[in-house]
């Protein structure tokens, strides 16, 4: 059905001069590029048939409602589908069921909002082409008045106040959709809590040689040697081995007691045997280089250097603080043991550290 088939009295009123077609000019020698003007405006079926407009309104409302249902499905999938469940999707193969459900529902929610907005604009909002003259950049009172008038006219033409079904479902879709962006934040993992402040070391834990997996005796540590140790009970095939060893790795060095300058270091040692965290306090690299004559240890990543004879303080490089020391002693069987956990967090600084 075209506008030619509708009685003139049923056609929408023509727009005012702001919506008039551009002026038509004729090409000549002085102006070879003539302005052909705008083609005659043809009314859409929704402009002349309220039943068609109602159908478009219901279509838009259906799309917004579909977006709301998809968002609810996104939330339900996040809580209901186990993380380890997988499904087969042709031709992709086996994929995570949760990821597939979240991606599908999120795509439907976004597409439905966009499709609803586009269909609303193309079928119910005004489609009259407007030729607007260029104007100076500065906003004159006349321009401000025109912008305000255009805004009011656009609000009127959108029929948002009259199309209550569209308005209600659109607001519902836009209100629910942000939940799909907030909920995944909970999947970033559990909060670290105080786990960064504690290691597996505790009173009575034996120092186990990482190469032999045997408990260490004082006689096993020679002066000038460097030995790496881990807590008793920690095994390489444990599921959390990497997590725990990243905090509990220890380096054992034996110094002459008279060469230890720091009083606390001497008090926390045993016959000159000192135990320090192996984790560099810069970015967490494992320290593995020891200089026997100077009692310095060097991080191979960024050359942070620590003096083990003086509380493992930083003497060079980007590390921010000294290596934490573990207080050690000897049990009744003659094995080296920890007398507690580190007094401060090991490794690099973090924002909660106080």
């Amino acid at each position: 059905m075209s506008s030619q088939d509708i009685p003139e009295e049923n056609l929408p009123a023509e727009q005012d001069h702001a919506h008039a077609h551009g002026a038509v000019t004729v090409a000549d020698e002085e102006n070879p590029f003539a302005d052909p003007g705008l083609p005659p405006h043809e009314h859409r079926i929704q402009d002349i048939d309220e039943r068609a407009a109602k159908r478009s309104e219901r279509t838009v409302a259906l799309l917004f409602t579909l977006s709301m249902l998809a968002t609810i499905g996104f939330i339900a999938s996040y809580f209901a589908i186990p993380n380890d469940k997988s499904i087969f999707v042709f031709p992709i193969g086996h994929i995570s069921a949760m990821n597939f459900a979240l991606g599908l529902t999120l795509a439907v929610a976004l597409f439905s909002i966009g499709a609803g907005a586009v269909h609303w604009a193309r079928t119910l909002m005004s489609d009259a082409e407007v030729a607007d003259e260029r104007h100076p950049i500065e906003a004159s009172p006349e321009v401000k008045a025109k912008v305000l008038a255009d805004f009011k006219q656009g609000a009127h033409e959108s029929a948002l106040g009259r199309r209550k079904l569209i308005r209600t479902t659109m607001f519902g879709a836009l209100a629910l959709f942000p939940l799909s962006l907030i909920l995944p934040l909970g999947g970033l993992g559990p909060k670290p809590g105080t786990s960064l402040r504690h290691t597996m070391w505790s009173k009575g834990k034996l120092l186990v040689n990482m190469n032999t997996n045997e408990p260490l005796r004082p006689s096993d540590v020679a002066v000038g040697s460097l030995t790496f140790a881990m807590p008793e009970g920690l095994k390489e095939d444990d599921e959390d081995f990497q997590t725990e060893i990243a905090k509990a790795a220890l380096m054992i060095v034996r110094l002459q007691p008279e060469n230890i300058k720091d009083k606390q270091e001497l008090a926390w040692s045993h016959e000159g045997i000192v135990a320090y965290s192996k984790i560099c306090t810069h970015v967490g690299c494992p320290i593995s280089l020891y200089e026997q004559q100077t009692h310095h240890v060097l991080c191979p990543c960024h050359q942070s250097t620590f003096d083990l004879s003086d509380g493992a303080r930083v003497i060079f490089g980007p590390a921010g603080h000294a290596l934490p020391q573990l207080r050690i002693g000897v049990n009744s069987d003659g094995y080296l043991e920890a007398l507690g956990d580190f007094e401060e967090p090991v490794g690099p600084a973090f924002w909660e550290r106080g």
Side-chain angles (χ1 to χ4, degrees), residues 29 37 48 60 69 73 88-89 104 109 122 140 156 166 171 177 198 204 285 289 334 342 346:
E29 294 182 357
I48 55 183
V60 174
L69 294 176
F88 180 81
V89 178
L104 181 62
R122 292 182 64 87
S140 63
H156 174 72
I166 288 182
F171 287 159
F177 178 74
H198 305 288
C285 295
L289 304 176
F342 290 104
V346 302

Side-chain angles (χ1 to χ4, degrees), residues 164-241:
K164 295 182 179 180
L165 183 59
I166 288 182
R167 182 180 63 204
T168 303
T169 53
M170 180 189 70
F171 287 159
L174 294 177
L176 279 178
F177 178 74
L179 295 177
S180 62
L181 304 178
I182 297 174
L183 282 176
L185 296 178
L188 296 178
K191 295 180 179 179
T194 60
S195 62
L196 297 177
R197 299 180 179 274
H198 305 288
T199 71
M200 283 190 63
W201 292 110
S202 60
K203 185 176 177 59
K205 283 270 187 180
L206 298 180
L207 276 64
V208 176
N209 191 311
M210 292 188 65
N211 294 323
T212 65
N213 289 323
E214 296 293 333
L216 286 167
R217 295 179 180 272
S219 58
D220 296 331
V221 185
V223 175
S225 66
L226 176 65
T227 304
F228 298 126
M230 62 182 179
E232 174 191 17
L234 183 61
K235 299 179 181 179
E236 291 189 11
D237 56 356
D238 291 343
E239 182 178 355
D240 59 347
F241 174 79

Side-chain angles (χ1 to χ4, degrees), residues 44 47 117 119-128 154 157-159:
R44 302 163 301 184
D47 297 330
H119 191 69
W120 181 11
R122 292 182 64 87
T123 61
L124 295 175
M125 295 185 185
S126 174
D127 68 334
E157 292 175 352
S158 70

